Amino acid sequence: MKSAIIFGYNEFALEIAHSLKTKYNDLSLFVLEDKDFKFLQENNFKVSKFSIDDDWSDLENEYDIDELIVFCALEDTAENIFLTISLRAVYENLIIIALSSDQESGRKLKMAGANKIIPITQTTVNIITEMLERPFVTEILNNILYSDDELQIAQVTIEQDSEVIGQNIESIDWKNRYGLLVLAIIRENLDTSFIYTKKANKEPLKEDDVLVIVGYENDIKEFEKTIGRRYNANWRNWSW
């Protein structure tokens, strides 16, 4: 049975939970504080209390580790790193995804044993989890989330006079021209703010459109210089 555990109680953990609860057969939040436990329980989440120094050897009694994905989303970076180390020490093959607030904490979490680091200032969890259901990006996202390569998801806003304005997605050779793949367009003035590219291939690109792209950091930086600016999403603006 496909299961997920989210460690932590904060806006990012909650957004992950809201995104995953209809997609995983068994979703649990593990929290440190009694008040967080009570709130989540009252809101119909499956929730457990844990201590940062818990021995995780009993986890396999409740979960099939091969079918389990874990999100380390604690706000305290040191605790997030310690938790990642503790889980990895017990379960060599457990999929661990950790959220990091900056490059340095991301590097430490990687060294601690996280399979993948998600920089919380560069992308949004709902976009990642929404795309997990879309077959045309599943393979790409698996590579991003579960491998050690340096592929990243980023959101770049198209600025005035950008060379891509007026062109549509399918008319541009993204791979050879920019070394990138475009997954989606976000256009805020539409009822549906998130448009998958297969539905938007004919849409002329406009100023302030946000492109959700996959690529290597250097290619993304070069793309920003040409097209616009990286978009740091406000998590509270996303609805479910």
Side-chain angles (χ1 to χ4, degrees), residues 14 104 107 153 176:
L14 284 179
E104 179 60 19
R107 186 184 66 80
I153 298 176
N176 291 319

Side-chain angles (χ1 to χ4, degrees), residues 7 18 23 43 47 55 72 74 82-83 92 95 99 103 110 114 164 168-169 172 187 196 199 222 233:
F7 288 94
H18 282 297
K23 303 177 179 66
N43 284 275
V47 57
D55 175 4
C72 294
L74 300 174
F82 188 85
L83 175 64
E92 181 180 357
I95 299 297
L99 273 59
Q103 189 173 9
K110 193 80 172 179
V164 301
N168 58 50
I169 292 290
I172 300 173
R187 186 170 292 169
Y196 289 94
K199 296 179 180 178
E222 288 301 314

Side-chain angles (χ1 to χ4, degrees), residues 65-223:
I65 300 301
D66 292 333
E67 295 293 327
L68 176 65
I69 184 170
V70 166
F71 290 82
C72 294
L74 300 174
E75 287 189 351
D76 187 296
T77 298
E79 289 183 341
N80 227 24
I81 292 171
F82 188 85
L83 175 64
T84 302
I85 292 173
S86 300
L87 289 167
R88 178 59 69 218
V90 181
Y91 302 110
E92 181 180 357
N93 297 320
L94 175 65
I95 299 297
I96 302 174
I97 298 176
L99 273 59
S100 71
S101 56
D102 54 52
Q103 189 173 9
E104 179 60 19
S105 64
R107 186 184 66 80
K108 291 177 179 177
L109 285 161
K110 193 80 172 179
M111 292 176 64
N115 297 82
K116 184 63 186 177
I117 310 300
I118 298 179
I120 58 177
T121 59
Q122 293 181 7
T123 187
T124 55
V125 168
N126 67 314
I127 285 177
I128 292 174
T129 51
E130 286 283 343
M131 287 190 293
L132 284 171
E133 289 191 336
R134 277 23 182 212
F136 80 106
V137 294
T138 297
E139 182 178 350
I140 295 167
L141 289 169
N142 281 339
N143 287 336
I144 295 170
L145 293 174
Y146 303 137
S147 73
D148 291 331
D149 63 33
E150 300 299 327
L151 281 174
Q152 296 184 21
I153 298 176
Q155 299 170 218
V156 175
T157 302
I158 298 175
E159 293 190 326
Q160 187 178 16
D161 300 325
S162 168
E163 63 187 25
V164 301
I165 289 177
Q167 302 182 61
N168 58 50
I169 292 290
E170 67 178 9
S171 70
I172 300 173
D173 186 352
W174 297 94
K175 180 180 178 181
N176 291 319
R177 190 166 169 184
Y178 302 109
L180 301 170
L181 175 65
V182 177
L183 297 179
I185 307 168
I186 299 171
R187 186 170 292 169
E188 294 184 354
N189 62 342
L190 297 180
D191 290 337
T192 301
S193 60
F194 191 79
I195 308 170
Y196 289 94
T197 54
K198 65 180 180 180
K199 296 179 180 178
N201 282 344
K202 303 293 185 182
E203 280 288 319
L205 296 169
K206 301 177 180 179
E207 181 184 352
D208 292 331
D209 281 349
V210 178
L211 299 176
V212 182
I213 58 175
V214 172
Y216 293 98
E217 179 63 22
N218 287 340
D219 291 328
I220 293 173
K221 286 181 177 178
E222 288 301 314
F223 185 67

